[in-house]
Amino acid sequence: MAMNRIFECVQPCLTLEKSRFLDSKFTADEIKRAVFDMHPTKAPGLDGLPALFYQKYWSMWEVVAKAFASRSRVVLNEVISETQSVFIPGRLISDNAIVRFECMHALKRRKKGRKGVMTIKLDMSKAYDRIEWSFISGMLCRLGF
């Protein structure tokens, strides 16, 4: 399978210590901090309730997704390539457009060595709509999650 060949090229980058940290149980403080870090009226969950509801009744709910996101910041720099611009504070997804234009300009001006060089244009608005979950799962396992 083509995905397996891709996975073979990826080196695990999570240490056993950090993997254990991500797998450990959430503390009440982590969950409370995650709930109160959310904007009160933004991004209602699947249940339609905004963060304000959970903030008001936080002791009744565990918001695992936000707590995991807060916890994962510890390892993001190790798992996400420095060439990626998403998920890293201080980087913007729009930076990708600038990099793309620079790559295309360099390729067009290149006189020698054009064989074996390519670029790929992605529609970022569609990139998140079409996810191959088996690939995501396999890649996370390969990275050490």
Side-chain angles (χ1 to χ4, degrees), residues 37-107:
D37 281 349
M38 290 186 238
H39 189 281
T41 60
K42 299 285 183 177
L46 293 175
D47 56 10
L49 297 173
L52 180 63
F53 175 82
Y54 297 103
Q55 291 167 352
K56 186 167 181 166
Y57 301 104
W58 81 269
S59 61
M60 296 171 51
W61 301 96
E62 292 184 358
V63 185
V64 175
K66 178 62 177 163
F68 177 75
S70 296
R71 185 182 279 190
S72 66
R73 287 186 192 123
V74 174
V75 296
L76 280 180
N77 285 331
E78 294 174 35
V79 194
I80 298 176
S81 167
E82 63 186 36
T83 59
Q84 295 294 320
S85 60
V86 183
F87 307 118
I88 304 295
R91 298 186 194 171
L92 302 172
I93 195 167
S94 57
D95 293 344
N96 290 342
I98 296 168
V99 172
R100 182 210 173 262
F101 285 117
E102 289 177 358
C103 288
M104 292 303 297
H105 178 71
L107 288 174

Side-chain angles (χ1 to χ4, degrees), residues 110-129:
R110 193 175 196 156
K111 302 270 191 241
K112 292 183 179 180
R114 293 182 86 164
K115 187 174 183 177
V117 178
M118 75 170 190
T119 183
I120 300 172
K121 180 184 176 201
L122 298 175
D123 184 344
M124 294 309 291
S125 65
K126 294 179 182 176
Y128 296 106
D129 295 338

